[in-house]
């Protein structure tokens, strides 16, 4: 079985500050890992994905994440927050092979203060 | 090109009624997934289609839920005898194949059962 833990439900940062959203996973097989972003009243958009290539993954909008197998983590970071980053962020895991159904964490709401 | 579309965008129904939710995947995408997002929760997997067969129905919460897919095109999710706990946003996603890890999400159908 696979699971994802996103501790806390809300993170608030100042504009220009570092963004760090934590994600830990549990998987009995090598996982593929994803971060999705959901803006208000919109569908999910893929930010970045780890599929067993480089452990440091760069995504859209300046976000990146590092896969750390020893820590079973896949934390999302951005050096400098922008007001437009305010949204809900979901970490997800899938198996390799057929049927790439996603198992999601509960999500974290990011607020950016001016 | 066109993305994943879903209809209706909003549906309000009375408890006990049946509802049908529709998903139009991206043309050429053979894999299709349904997820449910209840308030304050992450997304829950419901069902996976590869072509018009459903090799994984493990997420359907009860026998009131069913889904079908016509060829590699439209899918409908049917909920019979709706209950208040069925209130959620129902999201559909498609990908090129079941082993292609990037899923493209539709905007969702918000179902409210009164």
């Amino acid at each position: 079985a696979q699971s994802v833990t996103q501790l806390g439900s809300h993170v608030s940062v100042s504009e220009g500050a570092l963004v760090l959203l934590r994600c830990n996973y549990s998987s009995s097989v090598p996982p593929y890992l994803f971060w999705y972003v959901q803006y208000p009243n919109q569908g999910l958009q893929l930010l970045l994905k780890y599929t067993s290539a480089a452990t440091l993954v760069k995504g859209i909008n300046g976000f990146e994440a590092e896969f750390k197998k020893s820590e079973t983590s896949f934390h999302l970071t951005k050096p400098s927050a922008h007001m437009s980053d305010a949204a809900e962020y979901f970490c997800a895991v899938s198996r390799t092979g057929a049927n790439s159904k996603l198992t999601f964490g509960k999500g974290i709401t990011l607020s950016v203060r001016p | 090109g066109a993305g994943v579309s879903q209809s209706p965008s909003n549906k309000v129904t009375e408890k006990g009624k049946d509802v049908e939710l529709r998903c139009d995947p991206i043309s050429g995408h053979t894999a299709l997934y349904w997820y449910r997002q209840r308030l304050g929760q992450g997304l829950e997997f419901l069902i996976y289609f590869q072509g018009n067969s459903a090799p994984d129905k493990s997420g359907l919460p009860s026998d009131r839920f069913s889904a079908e897919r016509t060829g590699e095109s439209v899918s409908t999710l049917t909920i019979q005898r709706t209950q208040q706990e069925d209130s959620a946003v129902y999201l559909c996603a498609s990908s090129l194949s079941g082993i292609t890890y990037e899923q493209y999400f539709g905007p969702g159908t918000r179902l409210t059962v009164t």
Side-chain angles (χ1 to χ4, degrees), chain B residues 74-90:
Chain B
V74 172
S75 175
T76 55
L77 176 69
T78 301
I79 308 173
Q80 295 179 309
R81 305 181 302 282
T82 52
Q83 303 294 311
Q84 288 188 331
E85 62 263 27
D86 300 334
S87 296
V89 176
Y90 290 83

Side-chain angles (χ1 to χ4, degrees), chain B residues 49-66:
Chain B
F49 285 94
Q50 181 58 45
N52 62 5
S53 66
D56 188 350
K57 306 179 183 180
S58 62
L60 294 178
S62 75
D63 59 7
R64 296 186 295 104
F65 287 72
S66 63

Side-chain angles (χ1 to χ4, degrees), chain A residues 15-31:
Chain A
E15 191 173 19
L18 171 71
V19 175
L20 170 60
L21 304 180
R22 298 179 186 275
C23 172
N24 289 88
Y25 70 91
S26 173
S27 178
S28 57
V29 297

